[in-house]
Amino acid sequence: MVQKIVYDWSTGEIYRQFQFVFSFKFRELNTINCRINLRELILDQYPYFGEFLREVWKNPKGLLFIFDGLDEFKHRIDFADSRRDTEPKHQCPDPEWWCEVSDIVYNLIQHKLLPGCSVLVTTRPTALQLLENAEISVWAEILGFVGEERKEYFIRHFEDQTVAAAVFKHVEENEILYTMSYNPSYCWILALALGPFFTQRVRDPQRVPKTTTQLYSYYIYNILKNHNREIENPRDVLLRVGQMAFTGVSEKKIVFTDGDLIKYNLHPSQFLSGFLMELLEREDSARCVVYTFPHLTIQEFIAAVAQFLNPHPEDILKFLTEAHNTTDGRFEVFLRFVAGLSSPMTARGLEEFVGPFPHETTCRVIDWVKEEVKRQSGDMRSDAGKRSLLNTLNYLFESQNRGLAQASLGSVERLSFRGMTLTPIDCAVLSRAIGLCDTIKQLDLECCHIQCEGIQRLGPGLHKCQDLRLGENKLGDSGVKLVSAALRNPECKIQKLWLWDVGLTDSDAEDLFFALSANPSLTELYLGSNLLTDRSVPALHRLILTHPTLEQIGLDWNPFSENGRMELESLQETRPGLRVDP
């Protein structure tokens, strides 16, 4: 992305207000272990500027500094620490002032160095909290593929369009895999792992990956299958690669050197190149080769495999507990993979090359997941508690263990994520959890920023709840139609339905009321603060006449006319015990 920004600027397509753009990678800034100034920092990468820099400083508004990959920076920049503004050792008043690299970046972002210049910082979400107190004027999230672009990726990836269509169909029908496919890197992994299943003559639909752990398991399986003859003991090498990967996850490290390979007794080889990519990086004035996994999630998966293959099963609980108690999210995906590897179906392919996964480790992981879900389901008061519970529900989904889900959630009657932003993947995992457990009576998802795709992922599980709260989400017409589809399910148990401020219009209200009329259990309906007008009154009247169990309807803050409100109030007279709040 950064390369494209610089290229588009250089060709005059964007950012024409900037005379110069200076781009730095935090990964390369890590190699600077001494005090330096901005002038030397620039000349290290752009030596042809020379003395001309003094002219550049005269017009700061014409400068754009790009710092790429804050999550890879080994030095912490704390924007909440007021001492950075008062202590002389952290100050950097001009481009030729000698200080630490972190102080140069801090002072540029806070407009204390070259005030008037612009600074663009990129980071993975894991380091976003570092910027919460920074002087940031614009935030942007890279969303990746939208709509048909996901399908287009697979069409372009595979020469055989029959295979492309089959792979995309499988992805589209699997809510977890489909919600991953907004990310081009995930699409690449999906294509590599799923492709062989749809090119083989003998296909086994039951073995096609359905969870992220299964997907990555087959990604690694294909590497082992193609390279296993090149090495005597694949299990031993995978264990050592995984240990290095785990250290990287622990230390937020994604770039490894020859020194790291030596530490774990690894040697560059064709086999190892299946796991690691070689990159040419700058180090002082020389060039050196460094290594990185093709994607952070691949590093996290191999780290999880290594912990599972650890010859000391008793160690796994220590790793799980310490990782789960880490609050910055660095182990979030790693833990999902560990839980997923407890599934025999997931581990089966890898066992062909690395031998059996320890049964004792599997039992310990399952017991840990069960106790963790039970513990987290009792703490839904704070945002942190809600997020922890959602993470543990991911463990349940990845394990694909119905018995484990029922044992963990068997006593849970209420799930509340009110006020917490839920992604489509979160919604898909939540739907699966509800589907695995029959005891959940109330589901509160008010103010969760759920839009149409989120409701689509939740759809299969909504009808199982007795009390469903979806207020203050931007469902729109399409989202309301999906809710109506859940209400038409013959096994629908919904008794109380809250659709406060969801963008409900007259046209969709009629479809909603028709769906509700087929639901014999409904007692309370709340539709306040929507876009209903007098046009919806006849449909409401029909709903009341055909629904003897309905006790209360909330309609306040809808744009009814005075006559419409009077007509709504008169509906109460049609049946004793009914309360209508217009």
Side-chain angles (χ1 to χ4, degrees):
M1 184 196 73
V2 168
Q3 287 177 341
K4 177 164 173 50
I5 287 174
V6 175
Y7 175 79
D8 287 347
W9 165 78
S10 68
T11 56
E13 292 190 26
I14 61 171
Y15 297 156
R16 294 185 180 180
Q17 70 270 32
F18 298 125
Q19 291 177 296
F20 302 101
V21 173
F22 300 109
S23 179
F24 303 94
K25 294 179 181 178
F26 278 109
R27 183 190 303 172
E28 294 184 354
L29 296 179
N30 285 336
T31 63
I32 301 174
N33 297 312
C34 59
R35 296 174 75 84
I36 195 171
N37 59 33
L38 181 59
R39 182 178 184 278
E40 295 300 320
L41 198 64
I42 291 174
L43 291 179
D44 181 55
Q45 292 202 31
Y46 306 93
Y48 41 82
F49 270 82
E51 293 301 315
F52 181 64
L53 275 176
R54 287 192 173 86
E55 293 298 317
V56 172
W57 308 143
K58 293 179 181 179
N59 180 27
K61 290 185 178 180
L63 304 180
L64 170 63
F65 293 91
I66 301 177
F67 293 96
D68 187 21
L70 177 61
D71 53 293
E72 299 175 22
F73 195 37
K74 68 180 182 182
H75 302 290
R76 180 175 175 82
I77 307 177
D78 188 354
F79 289 91
D81 186 357
S82 59
R83 291 175 299 176
R84 277 192 172 272
D85 297 324
T86 57
E87 293 185 357
K89 68 176 182 178
H90 290 306
Q91 292 176 5
C92 186
D94 67 66
E96 301 193 13
W97 189 275
W98 293 82
C99 56
E100 302 293 335
V101 172
S102 59
D103 294 323
I104 293 174
V105 177
Y106 174 88
N107 282 278
L108 281 171
I109 292 174
Q110 298 297 83
H111 314 297
K112 299 178 185 300
L113 173 59
L114 293 177
C117 74
S118 296
V119 183
L120 172 64
V121 180
T122 73
T123 179
R124 290 185 178 89
T126 52
L128 268 181
Q129 76 278 2
L130 298 177
L131 295 169
E132 286 180 356
N133 296 290
E135 296 289 334
I136 305 292
S137 57
V138 177
W139 296 82
E141 181 180 359
I142 308 304
L143 296 177
F145 292 146
V146 294
E148 288 294 304
E149 290 175 348
R150 303 180 184 194
K151 183 177 182 179
E152 183 181 351
Y153 182 95
F154 294 97
I155 291 173
R156 289 173 178 264
H157 182 91
F158 294 101
E159 291 184 10
D160 188 334
Q161 293 305 293
T162 303
V163 174
V167 170
F168 180 73
K169 183 174 185 292
H170 176 75
V171 171
E172 192 175 32
E173 291 174 350
N174 184 296
E175 59 267 33
I176 296 294
L177 300 186
Y178 185 69
T179 47
M180 286 173 60
S181 65
Y182 76 93
N183 185 315
S185 295
Y186 289 150
C187 283
W188 175 74
I189 295 169
L190 284 163
L192 288 177
L194 295 177
F197 286 96
F198 298 95
T199 55
Q200 297 165 351
R201 293 181 180 179
V202 181
R203 299 176 184 174
D204 182 0
Q206 297 301 317
R207 294 188 65 193
V208 184
K210 298 178 177 63
T211 69
T212 52
T213 313
Q214 291 174 6
L215 179 76
Y216 283 81
S217 179
Y218 278 101
Y219 173 87
I220 300 301
Y221 169 85
N222 288 330
I223 294 175
L224 294 171
K225 186 176 181 181
N226 291 327
H227 295 286
N228 73 302
R229 294 179 181 178
E230 300 164 12
I231 197 157
E232 186 176 342
N233 191 337
R235 182 188 182 104
D236 180 56
V237 175
L238 186 60
L239 188 60
R240 283 184 271 130
V241 173
Q243 289 170 341
M244 186 177 76
F246 179 78
T247 300
V249 174
S250 303
E251 300 175 358
K252 292 188 176 181
K253 180 178 180 178
I254 65 171
V255 179
F256 303 91
T257 65
D258 284 324
D260 294 311
L261 266 59
I262 293 170
K263 179 180 178 181
Y264 292 95
N265 195 22
L266 296 167
H267 307 281
S269 64
Q270 190 173 357
F271 177 80
L272 195 64
S273 68
F275 300 95
L276 294 170
M277 299 189 305
E278 295 184 0
L279 300 176
L280 197 62
E281 292 282 356
R282 293 168 56 94
E283 184 171 321
D284 296 328
S285 59
R287 293 273 180 174
C288 67
V289 175
V290 295
Y291 307 88
T292 183
F293 291 89
H295 196 265
L296 177 59
T297 50
I298 295 174
Q299 178 178 335
E300 291 166 323
F301 178 77
I302 295 175
V305 172
Q307 297 309 316
F308 225 99
L309 294 178
N310 190 320
H312 305 289
E314 65 276 7
D315 291 345
I316 194 70
L317 285 180
K318 174 176 176 287
F319 284 121
L320 292 173
T321 303
E322 291 178 356
H324 191 73
N325 290 335
T326 304
T327 58
D328 61 8
R330 74 182 75 176
F331 290 109
E332 196 171 292
V333 175
F334 163 82
L335 287 169
R336 294 178 191 178
F337 285 142
V338 173
L341 288 167
S342 69
S343 165
M345 179 180 174
T346 302
R348 190 177 301 139
L350 293 177
E351 288 180 331
E352 180 180 329
F353 298 103
V354 301
F357 280 42
H359 178 69
E360 186 180 347
T361 300
T362 300
C363 293
R364 287 173 183 263
V365 170
I366 290 173
D367 288 342
W368 180 83
V369 170
K370 181 171 67 175
E371 293 306 314
E372 201 58 43
V373 173
K374 284 183 177 180
R375 187 170 71 86
Q376 297 296 340
S377 61
D379 180 18
M380 287 180 274
R381 296 179 298 277
S382 66
D383 287 345
K386 294 171 186 175
R387 174 54 63 185
S388 293
L389 174 58
L390 195 58
N391 284 337
T392 57
L393 294 182
N394 273 281
Y395 307 159
L396 282 182
F397 172 74
E398 291 297 325
S399 73
Q400 292 291 289
N401 188 328
R402 189 178 188 86
L404 174 61
Q406 292 174 340
S408 306
L409 292 171
S411 61
V412 178
E413 294 188 352
R414 177 177 180 270
L415 288 176
S416 173
F417 295 96
R418 179 193 290 250
M420 179 181 149
T421 300
L422 296 181
T423 67
I425 291 181
D426 293 333
C427 292
V429 168
L430 187 55
S431 177
R432 287 296 183 95
I434 297 170
L436 291 169
C437 183
D438 296 323
T439 62
I440 297 171
K441 295 179 180 178
Q442 185 187 89
L443 180 62
D444 187 349
L445 302 177
E446 292 197 82
C447 307
C448 289
H449 302 280
I450 298 173
Q451 300 186 24
C452 186
E453 187 175 346
I455 284 293
Q456 186 177 0
R457 301 303 165 199
L458 281 165
L462 293 179
H463 70 280
K464 302 188 71 172
C465 306
Q466 295 178 16
D467 186 340
L468 179 60
R469 306 184 178 212
L470 290 166
E472 295 189 70
N473 287 296
K474 297 179 181 180
L475 306 185
D477 293 347
S478 301
V480 172
K481 280 185 170 64
L482 293 168
V483 175
S484 298
L487 293 167
R488 282 192 287 269
N489 190 305
E491 298 180 1
C492 183
K493 300 177 181 178
I494 296 176
Q495 297 176 8
K496 300 178 181 180
L497 179 62
W498 298 64
L499 293 176
W500 173 279
D501 190 17
V502 296
L504 179 65
T505 61
D506 291 323
S507 58
D508 285 307
E510 189 160 349
D511 183 47
L512 177 67
F513 296 153
F514 181 77
L516 287 169
S517 64
N519 177 5
S521 59
L522 187 70
T523 59
E524 298 178 21
L525 177 63
Y526 298 92
L527 303 174
S529 199
N530 280 297
L531 303 172
L532 301 181
T533 69
D534 296 359
R535 288 174 51 200
S536 295
V537 174
L540 275 165
H541 194 191
R542 287 194 299 272
L543 174 64
I544 291 169
L545 292 176
T546 59
H547 224 295
T549 61
L550 198 56
E551 299 172 359
Q552 185 167 352
I553 301 179
L555 297 164
D556 46 331
W557 298 102
N558 277 288
F560 295 112
S561 69
E562 191 62 33
N563 288 336
R565 295 186 186 281
M566 292 175 61
E567 191 172 349
L568 286 170
E569 290 175 353
S570 69
L571 293 179
Q572 296 181 101
E573 302 172 4
T574 62
R575 202 176 72 235
L578 174 67
R579 177 181 171 183
V580 179
D581 297 321

